[in-house]
Structures are given as structure tokens and as C-alpha cells.
Amino acid sequence: MATLGAHKKHKVTIVGSGNWGTTMAKLVAENVTANPTLFEERVDVWVYEEEVTVPKESRHYDPGSELATKPQKLSELFNTLHENVKYLPGITLPPNVIANPDLADSCKDSTILIFVLPHQFIPRVCDQLVGKIVPYARAICCTKGVDVSEKGIRLMSEAIGMRLNIYCGALSGANIASEIAQEKYSETTVAYDPPPMDSRAPTPSGSPMSSQVDLISPSKSVPSERSARLKALPNEYPPLSHENVRKLFHRPYFHVRIVDDVAGVSLGGALKNIIALAAGFVDGLGWGDNAKAAVMRVGILEMVKFGKEFFPDSAKTSTFTEESCGVADVITSCSGGRNFRCAKMAVEKGESIFEIEQKVLNGQKLQGTSTAYEVNSFLKQQGLEAEFPLFTAVYKILEGKAEPKDIPEMIEPKV
Amino acid sequence: MATLGAHKKHKVTIVGSGNWGTTMAKLVAENVTANPTLFEERVDVWVYEEEVTVPKESRHYDPGSELATKPQKLSELFNTLHENVKYLPGITLPPNVIANPDLADSCKDSTILIFVLPHQFIPRVCDQLVGKIVPYARAICCTKGVDVSEKGIRLMSEAIGMRLNIYCGALSGANIASEIAQEKYSETTVAYDPPPMDSRAPTPSGSPMSSQVDLISPSKSVPSERSARLKALPNEYPPLSHENVRKLFHRPYFHVRIVDDVAGVSLGGALKNIIALAAGFVDGLGWGDNAKAAVMRVGILEMVKFGKEFFPDSAKTSTFTEESCGVADVITSCSGGRNFRCAKMAVEKGESIFEIEQKVLNGQKLQGTSTAYEVNSFLKQQGLEAEFPLFTAVYKILEGKAEPKDIPEMIEPKV
């Protein structure tokens, strides 16, 4: 619902145009059209420009045509064909999604920035945006995972928020992109909990705003010293309430639940990959469905414990046990995800998972193995390896210091 | 640990000798041997007597032999071959498990009765035991499910406890019997929460006991008017604490968690079958892993809500979201369980699930369909159908009043 007095609309940009980014662009574009009082019709997608030909999977493939043989700019093909022929071929995009290869231009004047970049590109892209965005913009990070090292844990949303000095929430769930792009029913979790912000921020016209339009309960996801520097959204805009944020993402085929717990949502997306490895190991032994379910359950409880231990003020049990970003994402990842499949194959073939990774993934890397190493190095540093026996078991199996058949004994509760 | 002064040991009987009952007998027999100060060595199994020949699956099958051709009593074969050739062929049982076809004799002097009977036999078998058991016996019900009708919900454990006037807990989890019989790693949940009991019960020697040996915090699973009539265990016996109950069930391949919530554990085993039908329906549509995980997650939350609504003093959220009897049993049942498979096949073949049931199950009935009808009739009576949209959707699909493709819309949260 637009608020009385609001006469501006939110401009939305998707920063990233891979498989998941393009899927997000499609559903967000559908939603801005459905909510014309809240959002600008045009949705920009920042495309890292490259030259491509139209592949067989595209709806516009014709083996004899120029499209299939002569490389052209991805962004131009995107805007002509309304299809991301390289990263989401076969899916028609709404005409209000515009590919833009100029990063700063794509984000200019946008009040909502949706980050869907591979992990490693986030710092560099954010640095390029400093000073180029409106100071009261809000971000949602859809990149899964966290940065864990011996030094500590950094959420992707924190990395984005701190570099750009804006508030950044997170979106994660049982979300295989290709299924959502095909409008198959899915759910997701959006974590959005902006703190009270400084309403004296300069408005676009230069005059300070008279009131804080989006003051809500104090956020647990932003340290207070930083939140004091965040700029409130001018009240020319509709408020970015839970209700309006939900309208940006929720579709009949993509159900959204909104929570406050940015840490929990972010951790779920990272830690589930360790659980998927464990589930693959026991499934590879032929131990059946009881064993697989047991490992998943134990893994979910280690997620809960990890959240409580390291984000005591924010991470909530229910985020892991009740939301799509927790239990449902674990289920999906342990059904047929890469980490699960490679771990299972490694046990079945009696090879190391690194050999399987090389053979099967064609140069790509498993997320689960690096997360297992990072989490272990952090837990070791904290002296807490024994408190997370499943995460530790996975690490030891990867290191060749334990075998998959040792998992039950390693995770057996000491009574 | 045996308690000072305790000089008797617990005698254990397994009431029921099907696939699951025989599996329980095996693991309990291993545990009594491992804990000789707590438990009598001999474990009786009540066998419903029948005449059988040794089938191909048995370790003792020999096509030319008399065993394979001439029917003999099941209990005699059981005790000679240390194998339940009809219901758990191929698995060697410990020699301290004794099949006993005489129900009253099998339970005589037993302080621990483990019920593993098909649902429909529980009332009749209990009635035959009235007056034949020690008054301070304790029971654990391993039969899954609850009796739901328009009149209300009756837990199996309540049915047993009330008929025999003893305390009855419950055991349920992600427990496919054949996997546990093969000692593949599994977990389970035991709900055990006996109330304060009357210590003036006559002891076997006739004198009243001087103290209540097993007074623990007041139980939420037994109404107080009934608990006042329950007889305390004489202190000649080791206490039946959580620790000692755990020793009866926990094995290196069968991990036990003990909780207080009998209602939650019992409901989990019943309601998961409705969820498995829903998961089968969406999987049959080819909707992929996101959709299946979403339906499972929504189903777990409806379990939680059902428990809170109808067992407000006992059922806990964590029983459903964190224990084997909740989330893990849902996962196992939605992986390859019967209800899941038949629902999926029904959608794929465009037939009703009742047609599939007839073709595939050889006269047996799906638990999920009857539970879905019973739960719906109860919810309708309460005027609460709309509060449980997934359970209601499954019922409507079974009735032909909705289609699997309508599930997302039917369960979409109204905001």
C-alpha cells in the first residue's frame, strides 16, 4: 500500500545476471508490474558484458542463423530477445527487465539493490558502487554463504552493508534457480530488519526530512554504532515495510516468509552444504533412509548451535528448524544437490571427493568442502570442535583422518 | 546404574512379533545382556501363533528340507533357529530372546512391557492382560499413530495405559525396521514422563513401600486423576529413570533421545503420513525438489500447530522440529515410504490413489489416507479446517474436490 504523501516509487536493480540473478530479475519484474504504486516499472539488471552466441537451449536457437554463429553482446541479446541466452536459456523474461552493462548506471537512483553475485565478486563490485548510489538505498543479498575464517565469521550481507554504508538484508531458501525460473512452486525466506536510521539525511532535493519514516524496532543484525550512520528513507517514498518488501518477492509460485534473523538466514545457506556432504557419505555406504534422515537432523541442530554460539543476539532456533532457509534448504540440498551427489559417489567408488570433484564438475568447486574447512578452522581456533561433532566428522573425512562409517560413533551423544 | 538396595532386576517383554516387534526384541535383548545389573537376561516376545514354512529369505532355507515344506509352529521355529522366519527372515536373533505364544505367561512378572502390535489389536490384547501383569509395570508403545475421530484424539499410549492402569510412554522415529534389523545407523525418540505415583501399592511380598522411588516432576502426559491410581515401582527394583530407560533402547547403531512429550512423539508418527501424501502429489507433478521441501516444511509446521492446539499442556514445538520422531521421520517417509510412492504414482498415472493402493499394495491399506480422513473429520468438527490448509488440501485431493496442482494456492499464507 502506498503511504499518504509518498509520491516517489522505488527503483529496483538486480546486481548480477547469472542463473539465479536472472531468475530473481524475472520474478521481481513481474512483481513491480503487479504493484505499480510502489515500484518503478523498469528493473535494471547489471550484466557483466561478454560476447556470446545463442546456444541450442535458447528459444531463439536456429542453427543456420547469425545468432547461432556470430558472437554478440550478452546485454544486447538479452534486451532484444528478452532471454539470458547464456545463463538462463529457454526462459522468456518480462519486457520491463533491462540488461545494463554499466554498473553505476544500472544502480543510479535505485532505492533497492538486489545482490546476486558469485561470492568472490561482492567486494570488488561494492567498491565500484561507493558514491554512486543514493545514500538511503537498501540492499538484499541473495548470494548464499558466509565468509568464515580463523578470524571470525562475516555475513555477505554485512560485507555489502559496510562497504556501501547501507542496510542489507538477505534472501535464502530451498531455491534451485531453474525450478523457480520455470515457475515451479517454491518457498524462500527473506531476512529484513533495518535499524532506526538517521532521518537528517539529505534528500535528493537537499532539505532534511522532518520525520523518520521507517523507524521500526531496533535491529539485531546491525551494530548500533553503524546503524547510527545509516540514512533513513525519505518519506517521499512508500515505506520499505515487511509488507512492501514481501510484495517485491512473493509470487503465486514463490512464497515468501519474512523474518528478522539475517544471521540465521545467511548461516543456513552456508552450513547446509556441510550437512549435504555428511548425508552423501552415509548414503554412499548404502545405509538407507533412516541414517540419512538422522544425519540431516543432527546437522540442523548443529546449525542451531552454531547460530546461538556465534550470533547470540540474533540467530534464532526457529530460523533453522522452521524456515525455508533452514530445514527445507537442507532437505533440497540432501536430495540431489552437488555436494550430496559428489560425496555419495566418492564413497561408492572408493575415491576421494576431490578426485570426484575434478572428474564430475568440470573445473568447478564444491561449496561444501571449502565451507567445511573454513568452519573447522574457525571452530579449532575457538576450541569448540568437540561441540560440533558432525561438522568435525565431515572435516576429518575430507582430511582422510576418519571414514564415513565412523560418523555414528563420532556424533553419538555422550550421556 | 543399579541403585543401592535394589536387588531385583527388570524383566522385559515385547508384545508383538511382526517385523518391527522382532527388530525391537533383537535390540532390547542385546541391551539387557549389556546391562546385567538392571535387566533380566531373558526377553520374552509374545508371538501370535501360526503355522509356517521356512521361506527363501531365511538363513535356514533349504529347498529340499522339511523346514521348507512342512508347516511348523512359528514360535518353535523362532526358538530353534533364533530367527523370525516369517516376519524378519535373514536376521539372526540373540539366544536370550524367547518366543512365547502364551500372552499372559509372556508378560507375567514383567516390569517393562513394550507394545509393538498393529493398531487394531491393541485394545483386545490389553483386555486379555488385565489382572495378569504386575500393577507397577511400565509400558512403552512402539506402534505409530493415534486414534483420531470426530470425538477426539486418543494416543495409543493412552489406550494402553488406561486399559491396564499403568504408565505408558512412546517410541517413534525415522525407523524403517529392516534397516535397524541390519544394524544400519538410525535414531529414535522415546517419550517417557511418568507422573508421581502411589507408593502404597502392595509389593510382591505384600508390605507397602516406605518411599516413592520414582517420583519425578509431574507428568503432563497423564491426567492427574488417573496418575493418582498408578502404582509406584517398589524400590527393590532399579529406578526406571531416563538414564535406565535409555539403556534399554540405545545401541551404537540405534541412537536414542529421551523427551517428556508423549503427545508430540505419538502425533509425529501419525501426521507425517499425511505430509508424505502431499509430498508425493507434488513430486508426481514433476515440480522438483524445491516444491517437495516446501510441502514438507509446511507440513511440519502444521504438525506443530496441531500439537499445540489439541495438546496444549504437553506437545512441544521442538519435538516436531528437532527430534527423530518429527522432522527426521517426515524426511524418511517422504523419501521412499509407501504413502509417498503411491501418491506420486497416482499423479503420474492419472489414477486415484485408491486404485494405486489396490494394484500395488496387495490388499494392504495406506495409513496416510485413513489418517487424512480421520484428521479432517476431527478438524471439521472443531471448525478448524482452514487453520490446517495442507492437511485439508490432502483430504480434498483424496475426495476429488481439489487437484495436486492447487496445493500452492491452498497453502499460500494469507497476509
Side-chain angles (χ1 to χ4, degrees), chain A residues 174-177 179-180 184-187 243 246 250-252 255-257 282 286-298 300-301 304 317 321-324 327-329 331-332 335-337 407-409 411-413 415, chain B residues 174-177 179-180 184-187 243 246 250-252 255-257 282 286-298 300-301 304 317 321-324 327-329 331-332 335-337 407-409 411-413 415:
Chain A
N175 295 154
I176 298 169
E179 296 181 3
I180 298 165
K184 291 177 176 174
Y185 167 56
S186 301
E187 287 186 317
E243 187 192 349
R246 184 171 179 277
H250 188 87
R251 295 295 299 155
H255 289 195
V256 170
R257 301 233 307 180
V282 304
W287 281 4
D289 288 335
N290 295 349
K292 187 173 157 186
V295 160
M296 291 164 69
R297 189 196 70 82
V298 171
I300 291 169
L301 292 195
V304 168
T317 300
T321 61
E322 299 181 15
E323 300 302 336
S324 181
V327 54
D329 200 9
I331 291 170
T332 299
S335 293
I407 288 178
E409 198 188 328
I411 65 177
E412 183 165 7
V415 176
Chain B
N175 294 155
I176 298 169
E179 296 181 3
I180 298 165
K184 291 178 175 172
Y185 167 57
S186 302
E187 287 186 317
E243 187 191 350
R246 185 172 179 275
H250 189 87
R251 297 293 300 153
H255 289 194
V256 170
R257 303 233 305 181
V282 303
W287 280 3
D289 289 335
N290 295 349
K292 188 174 156 184
V295 161
M296 290 163 70
R297 189 195 72 79
V298 171
I300 291 169
L301 292 196
V304 168
T317 300
T321 61
E322 299 183 15
E323 301 301 336
S324 180
V327 54
D329 200 10
I331 291 171
T332 299
S335 292
I407 289 178
E409 198 187 327
I411 66 178
E412 182 165 7
V415 176

Side-chain angles (χ1 to χ4, degrees), chain B residues 117-189:
Chain B
L117 290 169
H119 205 203
Q120 64 274 25
F121 298 134
I122 285 181
R124 200 186 326 155
V125 168
C126 285
D127 289 345
Q128 289 175 41
L129 283 174
V130 171
K132 309 282 170 61
I133 59 171
V134 293
Y136 43 79
R138 302 280 168 86
I140 299 285
C141 176
C142 303
T143 300
K144 288 201 182 184
V146 293
D147 268 333
V148 189
S149 68
E150 287 172 28
K151 291 180 217 148
I153 305 159
R154 162 73 54 89
L155 309 179
M156 294 291 128
S157 53
E158 286 178 331
I160 295 169
M162 289 179 71
R163 278 169 196 270
L164 295 175
N165 198 32
I166 60 178
Y167 175 77
C168 185
L171 180 152
S172 185
N175 294 155
I176 298 169
S178 57
E179 296 181 3
I180 298 165
Q182 293 170 64
E183 303 187 7
K184 291 178 175 172
Y185 167 57
S186 302
E187 287 186 317
T188 203
T189 314

Side-chain angles (χ1 to χ4, degrees), chain A residues 325-386:
Chain A
C325 61
V327 54
D329 200 9
V330 169
I331 291 170
T332 299
S333 304
C334 294
S335 293
R338 271 181 185 190
N339 292 284
F340 173 77
R341 280 185 289 119
C342 287
K344 181 172 176 171
M345 204 182 291
V347 176
E348 285 170 346
K349 301 201 174 206
E351 299 178 18
S352 86
I353 197 164
F354 304 103
E355 290 171 289
I356 298 292
E357 190 179 40
Q358 250 183 341
K359 280 186 202 169
V360 175
L361 293 187
N362 202 14
Q364 291 188 66
K365 293 286 176 192
L366 287 176
Q367 196 70 49
T369 52
S370 58
T371 305
Y373 275 92
E374 288 160 13
V375 165
N376 182 265
S377 127
F378 173 70
L379 289 174
K380 220 176 246 151
Q381 181 80 8
Q382 306 279 324
L384 289 174
E385 269 187 295

Side-chain angles (χ1 to χ4, degrees), chain A residues 20 23 27 175-183 186 253-254, chain B residues 290:
Chain A
W20 186 212
T23 301
L27 71 88
N175 295 154
I176 298 169
S178 57
E179 296 181 3
I180 298 165
Q182 292 170 64
E183 303 188 7
S186 301
Y253 59 84
F254 190 64
Chain B
N290 295 349

Side-chain angles (χ1 to χ4, degrees), chain B residues 258-291:
Chain B
I258 302 206
V259 300
D260 288 340
D261 177 8
V262 179
V265 169
S266 305
L267 288 174
L271 300 175
K272 58 136 192 193
N273 288 321
I274 308 182
I275 303 172
L277 291 176
F281 289 142
V282 303
D283 215 40
L285 290 169
W287 280 3
D289 289 335
N290 295 349

